[in-house]
Each structure stands twice: as C-alpha cells, then as structure tokens.
Amino acid sequence: MQVLITGASGGIGFAIADYFASAGHKVLLADVNQQALDSKVAALRTKGANAEAMLLDVTDSAAIERCGKHYQIDVLINNAGIQHVARLEDFPPQKWQQLINVMLTGPAMLSRAVLPGMRERNFGRIINIGSIHALVASPFKSAYVAAKHGLLGFSKVVALENGDKNITINTICPAYVKTPLVEQQIAAQAKEHNLTEQQVIEQIMLAPMPQKAFIGVDEIAATAGFLCSDGARHMTAQTLVLDGGWTAR
C-alpha cells in the first residue's frame, strides 16, 4: 500500500509513518516544513524504509489536486493540525479560519482528491486524526473544537457515499498526547494560570482522565494500522476514542 500522512514531521504523524514503513508499505510524508521532512525521511531510509517527502500545504487547493492526480494513494491519514487559544471575542478571524482550513477543509479536499482513484481500484482507507475535542469541549478552543467535531460528521457522509466500494473512513480521537503542540499549551497555561507546568498537567490536562496518563503516539499508530487491516474491513464512519476513560463520566 502507498500511505500519505499529512503533518508527518510532527510527533503523531511521524509515529504513524514509522509504523506503516516498518510494515513494508511505501510512506509519503507530507508537511509544510521541507527541512523537517527531509530529516524524517532520512531517518526512515536509514532503517530501509521506502519513504518520500512531499511538501504540501493542506490549504492549497492546487497542490491538493496535483497530489490526487500524480500519486496512487491507498491510505490517507489526515493528521495535520494547528492550535490557537483565545476567548471567541478575542480570536483573530483570520486565525479562526486558518484552523478550520487546516483541520476540516483540508481533510475534506484531500479526501475529495484521492477518492476517485480509490473508487477505481475498489480500495481505500481514510483515517482522520481527531481529538478528545471532537467529543467534548474546552474553553478558549472554539475553532479547534469546531473543526474536530466537524470531522466526525464529514466522515459519516463520506462513508455513506462510498459504501458501495471497499473504502472506509474513520476517526481516531485521542486525549492529550505529549507532542510539541501540547508542550506549547502546557507552557502557555502555566503562565496564564500562574502554575507550574506539572500542575497544569495534573490539575488541568489529565484531571478529567481516570487513568491520568498521556496517550502514546505508538497507540495512535497501532490503531491506524488496525483500521487498515482486514479485521476492520467493515468498520467505517466510526470514532475510535483513546481517552483513558475521560468520556466515561
């Protein structure tokens, strides 16, 4: 299989790329940071992986169209993400739109670009990397929460439209994963609330989770792998939640 992962130079994206490469699949690492991409691809190739870098802005419609035409994508992992935290009335409109473009419109347009080929070959797996915030909300994250909630509805529609083919679309929703993006949030909240970073982790981030632990990138990668396995061939339009019991309350 040929697997395209967006946001592939980050913690979650690279873990997924490494997982599929280790299983013998060709991986296309897509990101907006060429230097980071080259470094990650080199790291995979030293292990004998079939890996290629793809400079791709998921908000660039022309680039997305070229991707769909020039590559045979069997598995699409919509992972690219950004964050901005502010009260809605203080949220810059351009930044709000950017989050929606990257985390909702981008996945939709990439799916649109690769679906014709998937339908022609009668095989495709689309996996969205959602978030606990596709299911619950937190203050000051209106754009992020809106985008992640939107992924779930989007996935259901795509599943219905492609139920006549061997194509599935699902969304993995982890609670907090200790990626650079989350590290930045920890530092910002520590400053805002006059807390230590450890207090932010214990009192804010992990407080709703009975297991009191960050989700591992290896867990997300393995879940993506399962969704591409024969054992998940009839699993579509589903939300797989890795939250340490958060939503059980």
Side-chain angles (χ1 to χ4, degrees), residues 57-242:
D57 180 348
V58 299
T59 68
D60 183 337
S61 57
I64 287 172
E65 288 297 323
R66 287 194 298 271
C67 173
K69 289 177 181 178
H70 296 151
Y71 291 90
Q72 176 181 307
I73 306 301
D74 301 303
V75 179
L76 170 62
I77 313 283
N78 287 311
N79 170 69
I82 56 175
Q83 180 63 286
H84 184 82
V85 179
R87 294 183 64 90
L88 181 58
E89 57 267 37
D90 299 325
F91 218 118
Q94 299 90 340
K95 180 61 70 172
W96 210 97
Q97 189 63 57
Q98 183 188 21
L99 266 67
I100 298 297
N101 289 344
V102 169
M103 294 181 291
L104 183 56
T105 307
M109 294 302 100
L110 266 172
S111 299
R112 177 180 180 272
V114 303
L115 271 168
M118 290 180 171
R119 289 186 60 82
E120 183 180 342
R121 296 186 298 274
N122 193 34
F123 181 84
R125 298 290 180 262
I126 300 174
I127 300 169
N128 302 312
I129 304 303
S131 165
I132 190 68
H133 287 108
L135 302 163
V136 300
S138 292
F140 316 122
K141 296 181 180 181
S142 57
Y144 188 89
V145 170
K148 295 299 185 180
H149 271 68
L151 276 179
L152 304 189
F154 162 72
S155 299
K156 292 176 182 178
V157 173
V158 173
L160 293 174
E161 291 177 354
N162 293 278
D164 60 326
K165 299 289 186 179
N166 182 16
I167 295 171
T168 66
I169 178 168
N170 295 285
T171 305
I172 300 171
C173 291
Y176 286 109
V177 183
K178 209 167 186 185
T179 61
L181 189 67
V182 169
E183 294 275 15
Q184 292 170 15
Q185 291 182 52
I186 292 170
Q189 291 200 38
K191 183 176 181 180
E192 180 179 347
H193 298 290
N194 196 27
L195 299 171
T196 66
E197 293 192 2
Q198 188 59 35
Q199 285 174 319
V200 170
I201 292 170
E202 294 174 357
Q203 298 175 20
I204 299 176
M205 290 195 162
L206 301 184
M209 184 194 291
Q211 290 189 338
K212 307 296 183 191
F214 286 101
I215 304 300
V217 293
D218 60 316
E219 299 175 72
I220 300 170
T223 303
F226 167 68
L227 288 172
C228 294
S229 72
D230 193 55
R233 64 190 179 277
H234 292 131
M235 182 178 289
T236 192
Q238 299 305 305
T239 304
L240 285 76
V241 185
L242 286 66

Side-chain angles (χ1 to χ4, degrees), residues 19-31:
Y19 182 95
F20 279 95
S22 297
H25 304 296
K26 179 176 181 180
V27 291
L28 302 172
L29 283 73
D31 210 305

